[in-house]
Amino acid sequence: MLKITNLEKIYRTEDIETVALNKISADVKNGEFVAIMGPSGCGKSTLLNIIGLLDDADTGSFLFNNEEVISYNERKRADLRKRNIGFVFQSFNLIDELTVYENVELPLLYLGIDADERKKRVEAVLEKVQIMHRRNHFPQQLSGGQQQRCAVARAVVNNPKLILADEPTGNLDSKNGNEVMELLTDLNSNGTTVVMVTHSEHDARYAHRIIRMLDGQVVMENVLS
Amino acid sequence: MLQNYLKIAYRTLLRYKAYTALNVLGLTLGLTCAILIYLMVSFHLSFDKFHSKADRVVRIVSYFNTPDGEFYTPGVPAPLGDAARTEIAPLEKVSMVYNEDNVTVALIENNVPTKKFKEDNGGLFFVEPDLFSILDLKILKGNVQDLTQPNVVFLTEKMAKKYYGDKDPIGKILRLDARLNVKIVGIVQDFPSNTDIKGSIIASYLTRDTYSPEWAKHMKMHWGGINSSTQCFALLKPNTNIEQVQKLTPAFMAKHYTSAEERKSRFLYIQPISNIHFNENYNGMPKSIITTLAIIGLLLLITACINFINMATAQALKRSKEVGVRKVMGSSRGQLFWQFIAETAIITILAGLISYLLATMLFPLLSNWQEGIIGYRMIFSELIDLRFGVIFTFTIVLVIFISGSYPGFVLSGFNPVVALKGKISTQSLGGVSIRKALVVTQFVITQMLIIGTIVVSSQMNYFITSEMGFKHDAILQMPVPQQDATKLQTLKTQFKEIPSIEKVTYIWTPPMSQSHNTTNVKYDNRQTDEKFSLNTKFADEDYVGLYGIKIVAGRNIAHIDTMRETLVNEELVKRLGEKSNDKVLNKILEFNGRKITIVGVVKDYHVETLHSKIPPLAITSTTNMYHTVAVKMNMADAQNTIKKLDKIWSATFPDFVFEYEFYDEAIGKMYQIETAMLDLIQAFALIAILIGCLGLYGLVSFMVAQKTKEVGVRKVLGASVGQILWLFGKEFSILIIIAFIIAAPLAWWVLNGWLQDFQYRIDIGVGIFIMAVLLTGLIAAITVGWQSSRAALANPVKSLRTE
């Protein structure tokens, strides 16, 4: 599904160059659950952002479903993103002014789906993550676990082929963290590809494969049984 | 999607209440002023445009080309109307009109006066029947042909109601100035507020003969004299253009003026009706005041928009997470842009609605104020029309786009990764320089208005305090309705018996006034008229004493009822080419058809407002020109003194209504346009400053929020409160100085141009500019200081913890 080759990303300020990704190559197959691990600053978040088309690489190739997307402009990226990718963040990133329901509905709005269909899909996904009873609450009225479940619901409401999770349990206690990991695993077993950045060995064990990074390069891959 | 935008906009605005309130307030102030200014400007632009034949209606006016320059008057010689009617072919209709401003009207029942009224604002209007074909004047009762009779009048609806309530006034008798009975033969519709051609009692033009027999005897057939209230309106034949008619006027004039001198100096100008309201040469109001207003209105709107942009952009940081999330969810930049435009639209429309309500509430105040100063009453409902609706809507849309597009552009351009991390910095808010430029623009506008206020008020102050060459305090002036020598003598004696009255004099007009009588003059035994015209004043022997005018040579005029002796001013001596004041004594000055002996020379004093130079002047006595009696009084018990004056005056002139005016107030009124301008500039400068302060306040709150950590670190490292305050003050000080560098020359240029209208004027000194920049600094310091001191005084442990 994803194939990156010799991807390079360098952050430049006036007199410092920071190599975030150093000619990195990797691929992710359809239906795979991949964890990316490594110390802070090794480039894993940058990689995730590039995969999610939120950021662009300086050189290299990135095939998304066999299509070269490296040269896509902002509009095409936004389009590809909203049809194919769901995001889950460490800090949830729910919009404070919108209710749970409205937050989850947002991706569908950008896809231009009609109101009846939206309602059906949002309610279904809220049931699935078990926060239907809090649908009219605002994010700040929810616990961390509930907020992350809401964020997961938002990430999957448009049935994306790929879910990108950036330390999804980083702000959660272990119980809530496990629940979120179960959700992701569940989604994966239903065919959704998951790529997750994590610091947690425990979380990484939910994945099929672990990519370990250091200084912008892949240093090791573990395939888990 | 739109619903979603509106929902989030509504919630965001509610969440940041203070920000919303500041924004709405700033925009509301700007829009309210803009609406009021628009209404006032469009009122003045609408003058006399409503006449259905307006494109063919003209006024024939006069101008003189003399060695002293050009002189203009809206008046024409009295016989011009009849001559033009027959001799200028392209004129379809012609009507002479005459406006008598001050008239006492008595209602007559059984030949006895029952009630008296003083009509002093465009009261008595003599017209020929053709005026009704030229202008859109509607007769409600009566027949226009009645205006071919003498001693008949039409009343406006308002006057009919005032005099007779609901009773039918037709056939009733009015007595004008206690000397002429006229019959009411009809009612005309009230004149609209936006016309310069109006009256309240419309008399047939023939009535003027019986009303002023002196005029009928001397002036009616006389081509030499011109009274500015004797005017001529005409309707051009269809398909005639004004230039064609204008070309016919020299031949027309040549026919009626035989001397080469007159032919060279006298001209007619065919003035389109649309030109009347704003042509200053012919007593119109200065268009500059309307232009100034429109510009100020625009500046206020710009300030309000800048405010909005600054505050919205500053606020943008708080929205960065939302922008990030929306982008991740697949929002395009365009969708985000429109979302922020929608938010701006909500604020702007809200502000627009409040502004409209505020404007309806404030409009009567503005209208009263204007009526008090320049005598025009505006009617709100007449000004709110389709055009207003279109312009108002258009302005709102424009404001939405001007104010919303920059913040929208900046916000929608955030990189989602950076935005989600909350790492959007001030720098990434689309160039600090743009926002600095906006703040500078605001300061420029504010400083220009401040400089304008200082300069205009200094000039006004100069008017009031500068030496005019005569005394004007504690002088009370009353009209003299009848020039009867015996009556006047008795009145003077009786006035002098009041202990608090120090002096009494009869005059035509006081030393400085707006009515002037100018005439040709011949000196000594010179063969021809002098090349300049002479300003003449009529007054008795107590004039110089009462007004404290200094005689520098010769003696005062004696007590004589007719023109035999005259005083002249030093300017006249100079213009006559005499080396010393003594040279003119006992020489003959010939004017108004009489030979008059010069008995004394007075020191120059201002005869007109400080707009004009001091002209050559002669002061002579003649009872039949005394229209005013002036008294110098002890102000200790003024009310009581006025009561006594009233009693004596009313006994002397029982058919008239007593009225009085202090001369100081009358002088003030001569500067009404300047006063109006000052009032307006002051009010709008204040509002501009207020809007600017709101913007600054918003901006500083944002800076404080941004620098919380920096302030904490600096305090931990030992910075004093003063040093922290300077952290915020520094940036604004630089901006104020840059703004000053732009504003100062611009303001100097505009105001220096304005001052050129005055022959006597202040210099725009450095002090004024220093004052302006200090004032702006002070205002900014207060606004900035209040917010930033909170940051400076905050506990650093707390501010560091929040990071």
Side-chain angles (χ1 to χ4, degrees), chain A residues 81 87 93 97 102 110, chain B residues 7 11 15 326-328:
Chain A
R81 195 157 65 222
F87 289 85
N93 282 331
E97 284 78 19
E102 288 158 358
Y110 283 117
Chain B
K7 202 185 299 172
R11 288 181 190 156
R15 184 163 168 200
R326 284 184 182 272
K327 284 207 163 180
V328 169

Side-chain angles (χ1 to χ4, degrees), chain B residues 513-797:
Chain B
S513 81
Q514 281 166 318
S515 305
H516 297 282
N517 193 5
T518 52
T519 169
N520 295 353
V521 64
K522 208 180 270 180
Y523 174 61
D524 200 14
N525 38 27
R526 291 181 189 171
Q527 289 306 304
T528 54
D529 283 355
E530 296 299 319
K531 294 236 182 298
F532 56 84
S533 34
L534 179 71
N535 195 310
T536 54
K537 286 198 174 282
F538 308 99
D540 69 10
E541 70 281 4
D542 288 316
Y543 174 79
V544 286
L546 189 140
Y547 288 103
I549 294 162
K550 217 173 140 195
I551 298 178
V552 291
R555 60 167 173 87
N556 193 4
I557 44 174
H559 174 76
I560 312 168
D561 287 341
T562 52
M563 293 190 230
R564 285 222 302 273
E565 295 181 352
T566 184
L567 291 167
V568 299
N569 70 352
E570 293 171 299
E571 177 68 17
L572 179 68
V573 176
K574 212 166 32 177
R575 297 290 278 275
L576 289 172
E578 294 289 13
K579 292 275 183 300
S580 81
N581 292 334
D582 296 332
K583 288 264 161 61
V584 300
L585 296 179
N586 301 316
K587 299 261 170 68
I588 297 293
L589 211 53
E590 190 181 335
F591 60 88
N592 287 4
R594 291 170 200 258
K595 294 188 169 159
I596 306 166
T597 313
I598 300 173
V599 296
V601 178
V602 297
K603 197 169 168 23
D604 281 342
Y605 63 84
H606 284 284
V607 172
E608 296 171 62
T609 57
L610 301 200
H611 287 278
S612 328
K613 277 198 208 160
I614 296 174
L617 173 75
I619 306 156
T620 180
S621 59
T622 178
T623 306
N624 61 24
M625 287 301 282
Y626 296 158
H627 287 269
T628 306
V629 54
V631 297
K632 174 90 176 176
M633 56 192 272
N634 183 334
M635 295 298 284
D637 191 13
Q639 279 311 316
N640 211 4
T641 308
I642 292 169
K643 264 187 210 145
K644 287 177 190 163
L645 290 168
D646 183 0
K647 210 174 149 199
I648 298 168
W649 190 95
S650 298
T652 313
F653 305 113
D655 297 328
F656 296 88
V657 184
F658 176 76
E659 52 179 5
Y660 67 89
E661 186 174 37
F662 279 102
Y663 188 33
D664 270 336
E665 288 169 12
I667 291 179
K669 279 188 193 159
M670 290 178 216
Y671 295 110
Q672 57 194 8
I673 292 288
E674 287 78 17
T675 315
M677 195 139 145
L678 181 63
D679 284 356
L680 286 174
I681 294 184
Q682 270 174 345
F684 292 127
L686 203 71
I687 291 167
I689 291 168
L690 204 63
I691 297 175
C693 284
L694 290 177
L696 265 191
Y697 181 84
L699 207 60
V700 175
S701 323
F702 158 74
M703 276 173 67
V704 167
Q706 275 308 108
K707 294 197 179 199
T708 308
K709 183 177 164 194
E710 181 183 340
V711 169
V713 172
R714 282 177 187 268
K715 282 190 88 172
V716 168
L717 296 177
S720 70
V721 171
Q723 285 166 323
I724 300 292
L725 284 179
W726 181 236
L727 195 65
F728 297 103
K730 196 174 58 186
E731 189 177 337
F732 289 105
S733 304
I734 296 167
L735 297 185
I736 288 175
I737 290 166
I738 295 172
F740 177 73
I741 293 170
I742 301 168
L746 216 59
W748 181 86
W749 180 70
V750 172
L751 291 162
N752 201 47
W754 177 74
L755 283 174
Q756 296 308 313
D757 277 351
F758 302 95
Q759 287 291 337
Y760 303 91
R761 54 181 177 258
I762 54 159
D763 285 323
I764 307 181
V766 184
I768 286 172
F769 293 104
I770 293 176
M771 211 159 127
V773 79
L774 288 182
L775 207 59
T776 323
L778 184 73
I779 293 164
I782 293 170
T783 320
V784 174
W786 188 34
Q787 272 282 339
S788 49
S789 62
R790 290 202 341 214
L793 295 171
N795 181 349
V797 176

Side-chain angles (χ1 to χ4, degrees), chain A residues 10-209:
Chain A
I10 300 172
Y11 292 108
R12 289 185 179 86
T13 58
E14 268 172 39
D15 41 25
I16 308 170
E17 278 194 358
T18 313
V19 181
L21 296 179
N22 188 1
K23 299 203 183 294
I24 190 170
S25 299
D27 58 358
V28 175
K29 291 181 186 65
N30 252 338
E32 221 184 350
F33 189 157
V34 177
I36 303 173
M37 295 193 75
S40 288
C42 71
K44 52 190 191 305
S45 286
T46 305
L47 180 63
L48 200 72
N49 288 335
I50 290 174
I51 293 173
L53 298 164
L54 295 175
D55 207 348
D56 46 7
D58 296 331
T59 56
S61 147
F62 174 22
L63 299 180
F64 190 103
N65 275 342
N66 296 323
E67 195 170 337
E68 180 60 74
V69 296
I70 206 93
S71 56
Y72 270 21
N73 64 16
E74 171 134 8
R75 182 186 296 271
K76 281 172 100 174
R77 286 155 179 271
D79 196 57
L80 187 69
R81 195 157 65 222
K82 70 183 173 192
R83 296 187 190 287
N84 297 293
I85 308 174
F87 289 85
V88 180
F89 300 95
Q90 178 180 2
S91 51
F92 324 136
N93 282 331
L94 298 170
I95 297 178
D96 297 336
E97 284 78 19
L98 297 179
T99 62
V100 165
Y101 182 94
E102 288 158 358
N103 263 293
V104 174
E105 187 189 27
L106 200 56
L108 301 181
L109 280 172
Y110 283 117
L111 282 172
I113 288 165
D114 68 60
D116 287 346
E117 174 72 10
R118 286 206 304 269
K119 186 162 186 282
K120 225 160 60 192
R121 281 165 72 169
V122 172
E123 283 175 355
V125 74
L126 287 178
E127 288 288 0
K128 193 168 170 185
V129 301
Q130 296 167 9
I131 48 167
M132 188 60 183
H133 61 296
R134 316 223 64 172
R135 50 181 290 179
N136 290 324
H137 287 69
F138 286 95
Q140 55 277 32
Q141 297 169 313
L142 304 179
S143 72
Q146 287 170 330
Q147 286 190 48
Q148 193 60 303
R149 274 187 276 151
C150 173
V152 172
R154 183 180 63 182
V156 302
V157 73
N158 58 344
N159 298 323
K161 298 182 184 71
L162 172 66
I163 286 185
L164 299 176
D166 193 351
E167 302 199 36
T169 65
N171 282 3
L172 301 177
D173 60 28
S174 60
K175 180 172 169 284
N176 279 310
N178 283 342
E179 277 177 25
V180 167
M181 287 315 298
E182 293 295 344
L183 265 174
L184 290 176
T185 314
D186 193 30
L187 288 167
N188 175 245
S189 58
N190 287 328
T192 312
T193 311
V194 178
V195 178
M196 171 178 77
V197 163
T198 182
H199 275 120
S200 155
E201 289 290 347
H202 170 267
D203 287 355
R205 257 177 268 135
Y206 284 89
H208 305 145
R209 182 156 63 101

Side-chain angles (χ1 to χ4, degrees), chain B residues 8-20:
Chain B
I8 202 154
Y10 171 71
R11 288 181 190 156
T12 309
L13 297 178
L14 268 191
R15 184 163 168 200
Y16 302 108
K17 285 192 192 74
Y19 159 81
T20 309

